[in-house]
Amino acid sequence: MPALTRVDQLLHEGLARPEDAPALDAVAEAFRIRISAEMRGAITSAADPIGLQFVPSDRELGERPEELHDPIGDRAHAPVPGLTHRYQDRVILHATQTCEVYCRFCFRRETVGATGTLPDEDLDAALAYIADTPQIWEVILTGGDPLVLSPRRLKAMLQRLAAIPHVGVVRFHTRVPVVAPEKITAALLEALQSDLSVFVVLHTNHVQELTPAARAALDRLNKAGIGLLSQSVLLRGINDSAEALADLFRALIRCKVKPYYLHHCDLARGTSHFRTTIAEGQALMAALRGKLSGICLPSYVLDIPGGFGKVPIGPGYLQAQENGLWQVTDPKGQTHLYQDPDR
Ligand SMILES: *Cc1c(COP(=O)(O)O)cnc(C)c1O
Ligand code: SF4
């Protein structure tokens, strides 16, 4: 089953209505469509938790004044093309702009899909910058989705990074194990073997995405010794309930994936229908705290618009009083006092 990339295919599959086609064509001009074969098979309707993430909607034409072209400031912190250096000890390498799916809420929706693989001379310049910058301890490959690259290319890139003495960790931010599990081949697993600490940070937002083939792909990565973490985006109407998040995080732990971040949805243009309020996100995290095993809980983070970094956004359990006294709220909402030593 091929991927869906055009509005007429969506009509044919019953995932869009003919009267919406002109608006969807306008949407697709700005933000391209791609629904991988695996996700196409897992969608039951345009309104289910998978359909809402990948099937375009005319609501994407609505923009709000707070929305930004480059919501997290990737381009503001690019010392060389394809590299974002915002935090001292780690850089993001945009090895490709291609993905197996195009998520309607993507914070890089204005750049993904536009070009393919990073040109060789840009990759050379990015690796030279990393080699010349001894503070860089970790390289985060993202995109686009780095696991769309061929195992041969990934292996060569990892070997070049491993040859830089101050680099110790490589992280792949990817949706591939879930949306295109057939790409987690023996050749790919072999390519990821390295003396570096290699982590895969899986982007997944709803338990319905974790198909049997996706779970099997995660199992292959785990058995190959790859560290597995996840990041999810809090999405209105998709996973903004305590049950949906609990089911997702528990399922991830059962797949031996540690939930790492729950992102508040970024201010990308045309995505306000996906955003909850921060207060809603905090209430969801508070509802899970104490009920769900601590290993299931990610930190809820906001990437401060404009490129000022990611910070945990609560909920907060501590309030400073006077003279080293703190008021602490327990998971049931009752408050208690805690006294610091005199310093
Ligand atoms: C998110 C991000 C990172 C990784 O941050 P962690 O908190 O270490 O996961 C690194 N660089 C940039 C520019 C980022 O946006
Ligand atoms: S896979 Fe990631 S980079 Fe690609 S469209 Fe989805 S969120 Fe954006």
Side-chain angles (χ1 to χ4, degrees), residues 99 101-103 106 112 144 175 203:
C99 305
V101 283
Y102 290 116
C103 312
C106 176
V112 292
R175 249 179 175 304
H203 171 187

Side-chain angles (χ1 to χ4, degrees), residues 72 74 84-87 90-92 108 138 140 171 173 260-261 263 303 310:
I72 68 162
D74 275 345
T84 306
H85 193 186
R86 182 162 72 192
Y87 303 109
R90 53 212 192 276
V91 286
I92 286 189
R108 296 206 178 97
E138 179 178 27
I140 301 167
R171 231 200 271 178
H173 283 193
Y260 172 53
Y261 277 160
H263 293 273
D303 218 315
K310 282 185 201 67

Side-chain angles (χ1 to χ4, degrees), residues 46-327:
D48 82 2
I50 299 183
L52 287 170
Q53 291 183 64
F54 304 126
V55 177
S57 143
D58 58 4
R59 288 184 291 183
E60 293 171 50
L61 297 171
E63 289 182 22
R64 293 196 36 95
E66 67 272 21
E67 293 176 343
L68 303 168
H69 289 277
D70 181 16
I72 68 162
D74 275 345
R75 277 163 270 165
H77 292 83
V80 292
L83 205 71
T84 306
H85 193 186
R86 182 162 72 192
Y87 303 109
Q88 200 175 44
D89 76 339
R90 53 212 192 276
V91 286
I92 286 189
L93 178 55
H94 301 273
T96 173
Q97 296 295 355
T98 307
C99 305
E100 284 291 327
V101 283
Y102 290 116
C103 312
R104 307 319 300 173
F105 50 86
C106 176
F107 64 114
R108 296 206 178 97
R109 62 198 320 240
E110 301 199 30
T111 47
V112 292
T115 57
T117 311
L118 190 67
D120 282 340
E121 58 273 25
D122 287 350
L123 180 64
D124 291 348
L127 290 167
Y129 175 89
I130 294 168
D132 289 342
T133 314
Q135 307 92 288
I136 298 174
W137 175 78
E138 179 178 27
V139 177
I140 301 167
L141 286 124
T142 180
D145 193 317
L147 293 191
V148 307
L149 298 174
S150 70
R152 182 187 52 78
R153 213 177 172 90
L154 287 168
K155 183 174 182 163
M157 211 166 352
L158 265 182
Q159 281 172 344
R160 290 175 73 183
L161 288 169
I164 302 173
H166 50 267
V167 171
V169 185
V170 173
R171 231 200 271 178
F172 292 91
H173 283 193
T174 180
R175 249 179 175 304
V176 161
V178 161
V179 302
E182 72 283 358
K183 295 201 111 179
I184 309 299
T185 58
L188 178 76
L189 297 171
E190 201 274 320
L192 295 182
Q193 298 302 308
S194 171
D195 287 337
L196 297 166
S197 297
V198 177
F199 283 84
V200 160
V201 182
L202 174 71
H203 171 187
T204 182
N205 302 317
H206 195 276
V207 70
Q208 194 180 322
E209 292 168 31
L210 298 172
T211 62
R215 290 173 195 244
L218 292 170
D219 191 50
R220 293 196 290 281
L221 283 162
N222 178 261
K223 293 209 167 90
I226 308 297
L228 294 173
L229 303 168
S230 71
Q231 55 179 341
S232 305
V233 184
L234 181 59
L235 294 167
R236 187 159 161 250
I238 294 172
N239 62 11
D240 62 338
S241 71
E243 300 72 47
L245 292 176
D247 289 351
L248 173 65
F249 299 148
R250 279 213 173 116
L252 284 165
I253 287 287
R254 289 295 288 117
C255 293
K256 298 166 183 161
V257 179
K258 162 72 188 123
Y260 172 53
Y261 277 160
L262 176 66
H263 293 273
H264 189 72
C265 189
D266 289 305
L267 295 176
R269 288 194 305 141
T271 61
S272 63
H273 52 295
F274 287 116
R275 277 197 294 284
T276 66
T277 64
I278 287 178
E280 287 166 340
Q282 291 179 326
L284 287 169
M285 291 303 290
L288 297 178
R289 167 71 54 192
K291 286 214 190 89
L292 208 61
S293 164
I295 61 171
C296 294
L297 291 181
S299 8
Y300 176 40
V301 293
L302 175 71
D303 218 315
I304 303 170
F308 301 98
K310 282 185 201 67
V311 286
I313 52 171
Y317 296 91
L318 265 183
Q319 254 191 316
Q321 316 281 90
E322 308 207 313
N323 303 322
L325 200 60
W326 297 89
Q327 180 180 285

